[in-house]
Amino acid sequence: MEWLVSLVGAGLVLLTLRDLFHTLWHPTRHGGLSRLVMTALWRLARRFRGRRRVVGLVGPLALVTVVSLWTAAIVLGWAVVYWPHMPGAFTFSPGSRAAQQPSLLDSVYLSLVTVATLGLGDIAPSEGWLRVVSPLEALVGFVLLTATVSWVVEIYPALTRRRVLAVRLALLRDADPAPAQVDCTAGALLLDSLVSDVVRVRIDFTQYAEAYYFHDGEDHSSLAAVAGFAFVLAERGKSARLPEVRLAGALLAGALEDLAGILDQRFLRTGGTPAEVFAAYAADHGRARP
């Protein structure tokens, strides 16, 4: 029975590590817990009045919530591993009152101290297999800390790339270049650079799906508000006289369709045309239809 309880705790730890791996390092980035938490917080925030301020907190708050849940699950899982063997399989420092506490409380305390890599030493495992398992928890705690830092460091450059594309499209929308201005070598280069930016954003939505739940603030830096104008530029390029401009316009249209497919498949699920998907994207982020 003791081993069965310990196996339940080990299973909880493994499930948590699997979710962490799929959220941060797996190529598809399909972490179940993180996606569930972020989707729930996003839908809840959209119900509030003045939701722009509330929705703006969803992304950072979701990161903190997911990391907190990972930490709590790992601490609890390892505590359940220790619990059936407490206090007999552990030694206590002289004068310590830890042994007088309930065994579950001691197990949680030991797990917290170990995962935080504090190593206070007032409770130490004495059985051989526990002397191996306990340092493994400290190693997992170090991995969790490193993963959290790397997650934050990775996601904000992805947000910057999305906002840079939004600002470029907003400036182009304000300038509103005529078809004749697009139908030149400079127009081909412009459309080609937009293709690269759209492809990068498409990859970011694949690799950092949680970036979708970060609100972009002002309209001029919100891709949801200005993405529709990219279709206008693509159509002007496809109808141009120069072949290089037509090619760049077709590439931009294809990149936008690909981005719309990712948005619809992972977040919106409208099943509509690319224009309808981008309209749903704008509505989901509280923007008027472009």
Side-chain angles (χ1 to χ4, degrees), residues 156-177:
Y156 280 95
L159 296 175
T160 300
R161 288 188 289 269
R162 187 174 78 197
R163 289 163 183 168
V164 166
L165 174 60
V167 171
R168 288 193 67 191
L169 289 173
L171 292 173
L172 286 168
R173 181 188 60 185
D174 294 341
D176 194 18

Side-chain angles (χ1 to χ4, degrees), residues 4 28 78 87 124 126 133 139 147 150 158 171 174 184 191 203 205 216 224 238-239 253 287:
L4 181 60
T28 60
W78 239 284
S126 57
V133 168
L139 181 61
S150 65
L171 292 173
D174 294 341
C184 60
L191 295 178
I203 293 174
F205 275 124
D216 287 323
K238 289 166 65 177
S239 61
R287 308 296 181 178

Side-chain angles (χ1 to χ4, degrees), residues 10 52 78 91 133 152 167 181 190-191 203-204 221 228 258 263 267:
R52 281 197 179 188
W78 239 284
T91 57
V133 168
V152 174
V167 171
Q181 293 176 297
L190 171 64
L191 295 178
I203 293 174
D204 286 338
S221 63
D258 193 25
L263 289 172
F267 310 106

Side-chain angles (χ1 to χ4, degrees), residues 244-289:
E244 60 267 28
V245 180
R246 291 199 301 270
L247 175 60
L251 290 175
L252 180 56
L256 290 168
E257 290 177 4
D258 193 25
L259 175 58
I262 291 297
L263 289 172
D264 201 41
Q265 176 187 355
R266 294 205 163 197
F267 310 106
L268 300 170
R269 305 188 186 280
T270 66
T273 64
E276 291 171 341
V277 171
F278 278 110
Y281 177 40
D284 198 35
H285 279 254
R287 308 296 181 178
R289 180 169 177 167

Side-chain angles (χ1 to χ4, degrees), residues 6-248:
S6 295
L7 286 175
V8 170
L12 178 59
V13 172
L14 290 175
L15 286 174
T16 305
L17 292 177
R18 178 188 179 278
D19 187 77
L20 188 151
F21 173 77
H22 277 266
T23 299
L24 300 182
W25 296 309
H26 194 274
T28 60
R29 305 290 286 254
H30 277 169
L33 177 63
S34 58
R35 177 63 61 83
L36 181 64
V37 169
M38 291 184 175
T39 302
L41 288 176
W42 182 261
R43 291 176 178 173
L44 180 63
R46 291 183 61 211
R47 296 177 180 273
F48 286 90
R49 293 182 179 179
R51 66 181 191 179
R52 281 197 179 188
R53 295 181 179 179
V54 179
V55 168
L57 298 174
V58 170
L61 181 61
L63 290 182
V64 173
T65 303
V66 171
V67 172
S68 299
L69 289 174
W70 283 340
T71 304
I74 288 174
V75 169
L76 179 60
W78 239 284
V80 172
V81 171
Y82 299 144
W83 182 27
H85 311 281
M86 185 72 71
F90 295 84
T91 57
F92 299 83
S93 60
S96 172
R97 297 183 179 181
Q100 303 173 11
Q101 304 296 328
S103 58
L104 180 58
L105 180 61
D106 283 342
S107 300
V108 172
Y109 165 75
L110 176 60
S111 183
L112 277 170
V113 169
T114 306
V115 82
T117 66
L118 292 177
L120 298 180
D122 52 341
I123 304 178
S126 57
E127 289 192 7
W129 70 275
L130 284 172
R131 296 177 67 183
V132 174
V133 168
S134 185
L136 284 178
E137 183 182 7
L139 181 61
V140 169
F142 181 75
V143 169
L144 180 61
L145 175 61
T146 305
T148 301
V149 174
S150 65
W151 197 10
V152 174
V153 169
E154 288 175 351
I155 193 171
Y156 280 95
L159 296 175
T160 300
R161 288 188 289 269
R162 187 174 78 197
R163 289 163 183 168
V164 166
L165 174 60
V167 171
R168 288 193 67 191
L169 289 173
L171 292 173
L172 286 168
R173 181 188 60 185
D174 294 341
D176 194 18
Q181 293 176 297
V182 177
D183 193 4
C184 60
T185 302
L189 293 175
L190 171 64
L191 295 178
D192 188 63
S193 66
L194 287 176
V195 171
S196 299
D197 289 346
V198 171
V199 169
R200 289 191 188 99
V201 170
R202 183 259 190 226
I203 293 174
D204 286 338
F205 275 124
T206 303
Q207 293 294 314
Y208 310 104
E210 57 275 7
Y212 179 87
Y213 302 104
F214 279 75
H215 199 257
D216 287 323
E218 301 102 351
D219 286 341
H220 73 275
S221 63
S222 172
L223 183 61
V226 298
F229 188 71
F231 281 104
V232 176
L233 291 174
E235 290 302 319
R236 291 178 184 177
K238 289 166 65 177
S239 61
R241 177 180 53 85
L242 294 178
E244 60 267 28
V245 180
R246 291 199 301 270
L247 175 60

